[in-house]
Amino acid sequence: QIQKTKYNQVTNKPTPPNLLVPKISLDKMGFNLANSLVGKIAVSLVGCHLLLTCNTSHAITSSSHASFIPISTSQNIRGAARSEFSTGLIIKAVQTPTLESLGEDLGQSKFQNVVVVMGAGASVSAGIPDFRTPGTGLYDSLSKYNLPFPEAMFDLEYYTTVNAQPFVDLSSTLWPGQDSGPHPTITHAFLKVLQDRGVLRRVYTQNIDGLEALAGVDTEKLVECHGHFRSASCTKCQKPVASIESCMETILNKQIPSCDHCGGLVKPDVVFFGEALPRRFSQVIEKDMEDCDLLIVIGTSLLVMPVSRIPQWVDRTCPRLLLNREKVGDFGRVLKASEKAGGGLFIRDVVAQGDCDDGVQKLCHLIGWKDDLDEAYSFAANRHFRDQI
């Protein structure tokens, strides 16, 4: 069923719902909508999540270029319709990307500068809890430390003047490459596949577990926004430790390392709250965003700045893929094309909700990269900490 919206030529806005004419059948209309309707129409096919708009100056027949725009929610449908009425634009037919279409383009090497944003969800299957999931997240498991607030574990002043033990205890379990510790997941292996295929531009990871490097991703391809465990420094004199392996052994024994030069507390080069991001972030982000032709966001709540802004920094025509348990940020938003591009509305995002590993496996299956993924995962599972230093 299609409901016609009467167009008010005086106010340039759709008339109130109580003035709408009765519903008419799509079959009876025979897709010759414009010949039978006056002014602009908005068609809401909620069950199919489609939006159709046209102008009566052109008859829409089975051979015409009608505009069918998939919309994620009925709210978006109504918003898009309101936008069309208020601006008077005619929507041009736009194909919304799907996981299948992105996979096909990726497999055919149509994307050459893939940027990946990684969050804690990518490491959950490695046995590392994410931070904010109620009941199982890291912040929900810190009561034994009597922290004044959960983030105190990553607060530099708290570490140096109050109690360094909570972070040392956490580091002893997170330190990558231990036989009994976390190892790269299917999702981390996927990064290695992208690299080996020559399409990986950069990985921006918010994780400190180092599993991307352990999976074999070159450090040149990595921006570890919140630091890593491959080096450590004194919090007082800032001098790097001579032996990271000695620091590792101290922390694995749940002891607090100290500086050989000044006696200050040493910590791995993990970025605490209040500390600046690594300089590498500012050195490469602008060019990466300019050249990015596919953005993949995996396992993150997109709540921590500045990484949370990366999806908004890529070109507005750049396809974006979200592999996550829930939709986050502005993914799924309906955008309006520029007049130079023909105007109209479009969607650039694909949202695949679920566990990260499941999403990655489905994508690789669609592309035909299953064997590559299995090989990369086997390679990563047998690496140790010394292999990534």
Side-chain angles (χ1 to χ4, degrees):
Q1 292 293 318
I2 298 179
Q3 181 167 299
K4 171 186 165 188
T5 300
K6 187 176 180 181
Y7 192 65
N8 189 318
Q9 300 290 348
V10 177
T11 63
N12 199 37
K13 295 180 180 180
T15 56
N18 61 344
L19 298 180
L20 299 181
V21 299
K23 293 180 179 179
I24 51 181
S25 167
L26 180 62
D27 292 335
K28 291 180 181 179
M29 295 179 67
F31 274 98
N32 200 1
L33 299 171
N35 287 344
S36 60
L37 301 180
V38 178
K40 279 203 164 187
I41 62 166
V43 181
S44 174
L45 303 177
V46 178
C48 298
H49 297 289
L50 294 173
L51 171 68
L52 166 66
T53 72
C54 67
N55 189 286
T56 56
S57 62
H58 303 284
I60 299 180
T61 66
S62 57
S63 61
S64 299
H65 297 287
S67 302
F68 291 86
I69 311 294
I71 303 295
S72 58
T73 67
S74 59
Q75 286 82 3
N76 282 340
I77 291 174
R78 293 193 293 270
R82 283 196 300 270
S83 175
E84 281 300 298
F85 281 122
S86 62
T87 61
L89 292 175
I90 300 174
I91 297 181
K92 185 178 180 181
V94 178
Q95 182 66 45
T96 298
T98 63
L99 190 63
E100 288 75 14
S101 67
L102 283 184
E104 181 179 353
D105 289 346
L106 191 55
Q108 294 176 359
S109 300
K110 292 184 179 179
F111 300 122
Q112 290 294 311
N113 288 283
V114 180
V115 174
V116 181
V117 176
M118 296 275 281
S123 298
V124 169
S125 62
I128 302 173
D130 63 13
F131 288 91
R132 293 175 174 84
T133 298
T136 61
L138 176 65
Y139 287 158
D140 267 7
S141 64
L142 300 178
S143 57
K144 62 182 179 180
Y145 294 114
N146 295 317
L147 298 174
F149 49 93
E151 293 84 357
M153 178 176 285
F154 300 101
D155 183 272
L156 186 59
E157 183 177 1
Y158 189 87
Y159 182 84
T160 56
T161 64
V162 182
N163 187 6
Q165 198 62 49
F167 177 76
V168 168
D169 289 351
L170 175 65
S171 298
S172 70
T173 62
L174 287 183
W175 206 290
Q178 306 174 66
D179 290 335
S180 59
H183 284 78
T185 67
I186 288 287
T187 299
H188 296 102
F190 174 60
L191 305 178
K192 179 70 159 57
V193 174
L194 291 174
Q195 175 180 275
D196 292 347
R197 287 278 176 171
V199 299
L200 181 65
R201 171 70 180 224
R202 202 83 62 200
V203 177
Y204 288 83
T205 179
Q206 301 172 91
N207 300 334
I208 61 173
D209 51 39
L211 295 184
E212 297 85 8
L214 202 58
V217 178
D218 294 341
T219 53
E220 173 60 28
K221 297 287 186 181
L222 273 175
V223 176
E224 292 164 300
C225 304
H226 298 161
H228 53 75
F229 287 93
R230 294 191 303 279
S231 59
S233 306
C234 175
T235 59
K236 186 177 180 180
C237 70
Q238 314 305 318
K239 289 186 178 180
V241 299
S243 171
I244 185 60
E245 291 189 332
S246 174
C247 178
M248 177 184 71
E249 291 300 324
T250 300
I251 288 180
L252 292 184
N253 289 323
K254 298 189 176 181
Q255 297 175 353
I256 301 171
S258 59
C259 177
D260 293 335
H261 299 279
C262 70
L265 297 187
V266 166
K267 74 172 182 64
D269 289 332
V270 170
V271 178
F272 276 20
F273 289 109
E275 290 187 298
L277 265 64
R279 281 183 296 175
R280 179 163 169 74
F281 182 91
S282 59
Q283 291 170 346
V284 299
I285 185 65
E286 184 175 355
K287 185 62 174 172
D288 283 351
M289 296 298 95
E290 180 181 329
D291 293 343
C292 175
D293 53 16
L294 173 63
L295 179 73
I296 304 178
V297 177
I298 306 178
T300 173
S301 59
L302 289 180
L303 291 177
V304 180
M305 292 280 284
V307 178
S308 62
R309 298 299 301 276
I310 289 179
Q312 301 172 40
W313 290 341
V314 296
D315 188 90
R316 68 194 313 269
T317 62
C318 175
R320 307 186 308 179
L321 170 61
L322 176 66
L323 303 175
N324 207 43
R325 287 181 176 175
E326 60 277 321
K327 188 161 65 174
V328 295
D330 65 348
F331 274 84
R333 186 163 63 96
V334 181
L335 301 175
K336 182 176 293 182
S338 65
E339 290 187 12
K340 183 178 180 180
L345 305 178
F346 69 98
I347 300 175
R348 60 173 170 170
D349 299 330
V350 174
V351 178
Q353 290 184 234
D355 289 341
C356 302
D357 290 350
D358 292 342
V360 162
Q361 288 176 308
K362 182 177 180 180
L363 179 60
C364 286
H365 176 76
L366 290 170
I367 302 173
W369 288 358
K370 182 180 181 302
D371 290 344
D372 299 63
L373 186 65
D374 291 343
E375 182 179 344
Y377 182 56
S378 177
F379 167 82
N382 295 312
R383 297 193 85 208
H384 294 271
F385 177 71
R386 61 178 178 275
D387 299 321
Q388 65 168 334
I389 299 177

